[in-house]
Amino acid sequence: MAGITDPRPPLPEWILECYDLLCSHASQPDRGKDAVQVIEYDDATDVLLSDSELALEQRDVEYALTRLLERGYFYEVEDELRVTSPEEQC
């Protein structure tokens, strides 16, 4: 995630809303100490496209997911989006 010393501007509010929504749909398959929340990439796309409040188009969803990955909110492993660290989980 962008830290205090990060020179980049903060993410737009609508992208942060996408993150919050995805976290609410993510699951935590392992309950161990190092377990992370996971959501399938295709499921994440479906969740964002179907949310009537966000009312996003496919290009918007792709852009939001790309920005969240670039900023480290998620990392991708075999078509799964995983929350970066347990301390930062939603």
Side-chain angles (χ1 to χ4, degrees):
M1 287 190 195
I4 294 173
T5 60
D6 192 337
R8 299 176 293 187
L11 290 175
E13 187 62 33
W14 71 272
I15 292 180
L16 296 175
E17 289 174 17
C18 290
Y19 176 69
D20 291 339
L21 181 61
L22 292 175
C23 284
S24 71
H25 284 81
S27 63
Q28 197 165 3
D30 299 323
R31 295 290 178 193
K33 178 183 173 191
D34 296 325
V36 296
Q37 288 181 287
V38 175
I39 186 167
E40 296 285 333
Y41 190 92
D42 290 340
D43 291 343
T45 300
D46 292 343
V47 165
L48 295 176
L49 285 172
S50 65
D51 187 80
S52 60
E53 286 186 36
L54 289 172
L56 301 175
E57 295 181 9
Q58 183 69 37
R59 291 185 312 201
D60 299 326
V61 169
E62 292 168 6
Y63 178 77
L65 291 174
T66 297
R67 295 292 306 274
L68 290 168
L69 284 162
E70 290 173 346
R71 289 291 183 97
Y73 284 77
F74 293 107
Y75 63 99
E76 190 171 8
V77 177
E78 297 181 8
D79 297 326
E80 287 182 341
L81 298 177
R82 299 180 182 187
V83 176
T84 303
S85 69
E87 305 86 52
E88 298 171 356
Q89 290 184 12
C90 313

